[in-house]
Amino acid sequence: MSKLMVLSLILSALLVFNIIYLSAAELQLFQHAAKADGSLSLLVLGDWGRKGAYNQSQVALQMGIIGEKLDIDFIISTGDNFYDDGLTGVDDPAFYESFTKIYTAPSLQKQWYCVLGNHDYRGDVEAQLSPVLREMDSKWLCLRSFIVDTEIADFFFVDTTPFVDKYFTEKDHNYDWSGVTPRQSYLLNLLKDLDKSLKESTAKWKIVVGHHTIKSAGHHGNTQELNSQLLPILLENDVDLYINGHDHCLEHISSSESPLQFLTSGGGSKAWRGDVDWWDPKEMKFYFDGQGFMSVEITQTQVDIVFYDVSGFVLHKWSRNKQLHSTF
């Protein structure tokens, strides 16, 4: 065997090792301290990046007002950060025009934790994940899947777009799958790492964030791939909230199977689709087919959820209490 062939085999083996190692890497963990009294407050926004159009700027204005009142610690984006086709690169002016230029209120100059949506996958995914954008605007942080540990609550951010079969077959749009293939290995490792991280979590509250719906009465409805692959893991690990975007509405659905609540905050800009499917009234707690956002306040014993419309009016409130210490 020639030296060239041996070298080629070694390089191939190293490449395979690196692919396996990277795909099996555990979810990246970020620490974000709660307030001195142990409480936490944040805003949740989804489906927003339209350079201020479709009431994006008005929603941003109200977010700034509510964010100041609640003294928020950070903001969550549930994806579809840049319409219609993500970013073209790190130098795409849409990043400034749809993000930095819009969310200017002092209260919103906190860390933004962002996941990717299906529209983001139509552009240069690596651009949104790039540290170059963090250098351009320090509040931006977007990764495929990761964890934010606040001690009082753990937030598990999940890259949901690769779960959806139709994106791999439709011919109308091109998707950037460069960091996802081989798809099945990517999904299996993600689910394994999420399950492991949820089981290891000692936080009082467990909250999972993704772009796509699990339960929804909106335009897109339920995402069957998440119902079959992701939902069982959430139920098994006693997740308290699943927060998503994708449907351009505000929505709260309870679960008859567990205490798990499904919360949609996808009203960051274009909304008012006008197509709502009937849902079991025992589970459907709230639906608003319009623009707005959501706040979450957390203490050791209570979570408070509030939905606001584009004018800052309160549309819906929900709370859950837990005992400070578990009883056996």
Side-chain angles (χ1 to χ4, degrees):
M1 186 179 293
S2 68
K3 290 184 178 180
L4 183 61
M5 187 177 294
V6 171
L7 181 60
S8 177
L9 289 172
I10 292 172
L11 289 174
S12 297
L14 286 172
L15 180 60
V16 171
F17 173 79
N18 284 332
I19 291 172
I20 293 171
Y21 176 79
L22 289 171
S23 64
E26 292 186 355
L27 301 180
Q28 189 168 350
L29 177 67
F30 296 88
Q31 303 283 345
H32 196 120
K35 295 181 176 66
D37 63 1
S39 67
L40 189 73
S41 56
L42 58 126
L43 299 180
V44 182
L45 177 74
D47 305 80
W48 42 268
R50 296 184 187 272
K51 302 179 181 179
Y54 296 98
N55 285 338
Q56 184 193 359
S57 295
Q58 288 86 335
V59 172
L61 175 65
Q62 296 303 324
M63 286 176 64
I65 294 170
I66 301 301
E68 184 175 351
K69 288 181 181 178
L70 299 181
D71 186 20
I72 59 170
D73 298 287
F74 56 84
I75 298 103
I76 287 174
S77 170
T78 58
D80 278 0
N81 306 315
F82 302 99
Y83 283 96
D84 277 328
D85 300 315
L87 295 178
T88 58
V90 294
D91 56 350
D92 190 333
F95 180 71
Y96 174 78
E97 295 167 350
S98 288
F99 181 63
T100 303
K101 181 183 177 182
I102 304 299
Y103 303 103
T104 57
S107 67
L108 304 182
Q109 307 313 301
K110 305 291 176 67
Q111 188 69 66
W112 285 58
Y113 295 108
C114 312
V115 292
L116 298 165
N118 52 296
H119 282 269
D120 300 310
Y121 263 98
R122 294 180 187 176
D124 182 350
V125 169
E126 291 300 325
Q128 287 200 48
L129 308 179
S130 173
V132 173
L133 294 191
R134 299 181 214 173
E135 294 171 6
M136 294 168 59
D137 192 327
S138 60
K139 65 179 179 286
W140 177 262
L141 195 156
C142 182
L143 295 172
R144 294 184 193 273
S145 299
F146 59 102
I147 303 169
V148 175
D149 175 4
T150 68
E151 289 192 8
I152 188 175
D154 280 347
F155 295 81
F156 303 84
F157 293 78
V158 178
D159 184 21
T160 60
T161 301
F163 283 90
V164 182
D165 293 335
K166 70 177 182 179
Y167 300 140
F168 290 84
T169 57
E170 67 177 37
K171 299 178 180 178
D172 294 337
H173 303 286
N174 294 316
Y175 293 85
D176 177 8
W177 301 123
S178 56
V180 169
T181 54
R183 180 190 178 201
Q184 290 307 314
S185 296
Y186 179 84
L187 295 177
L188 286 172
N189 283 318
L190 172 53
L191 291 171
K192 180 190 70 176
D193 292 341
L194 175 64
D195 183 52
K196 180 176 181 287
S197 299
L198 283 167
K199 284 178 166 55
E200 292 175 350
S201 172
T202 58
K204 190 74 173 180
W205 304 92
K206 298 179 184 180
I207 299 170
V208 174
V209 179
H211 176 65
H212 289 78
T213 59
I214 290 182
K215 290 190 176 186
S216 175
H219 175 78
H220 293 292
N222 299 353
T223 305
Q224 296 304 327
E225 295 90 341
L226 296 187
N227 272 268
S228 62
Q229 298 177 65
L230 180 61
L231 181 57
I233 292 174
L234 307 192
L235 295 175
E236 181 182 335
N237 290 287
D238 299 320
V239 170
D240 297 286
L241 309 175
Y242 177 73
I243 299 174
N244 61 272
H246 197 44
D247 268 336
H248 297 180
C249 63
L250 305 174
E251 183 176 21
H252 174 201
I253 295 177
S254 65
S255 172
S256 58
E257 303 167 300
S258 78
L260 177 60
Q261 306 293 310
F262 301 90
L263 304 165
T264 298
S265 184
S269 59
K270 189 176 182 180
W272 305 108
R273 287 185 181 271
D275 50 350
V276 181
D277 290 332
W278 179 89
W279 197 275
D280 184 347
K282 293 179 182 178
E283 293 191 347
M284 176 60 77
K285 304 302 181 185
F286 164 71
Y287 188 94
F288 176 67
D289 188 21
Q291 290 108 348
F293 58 100
M294 184 178 88
S295 69
V296 183
E297 293 182 273
I298 306 176
T299 67
Q300 282 285 352
T301 57
Q302 186 167 316
V303 163
D304 293 298
I305 304 294
V306 181
F307 286 93
Y308 308 85
D309 72 3
V310 67
S311 300
F313 293 119
V314 173
L315 299 173
H316 174 67
K317 292 183 176 181
W318 176 84
S319 298
R320 164 165 292 159
N321 295 293
K322 282 188 179 182
Q323 294 180 339
L324 186 59
H325 301 288
S326 299
T327 56
F328 297 93

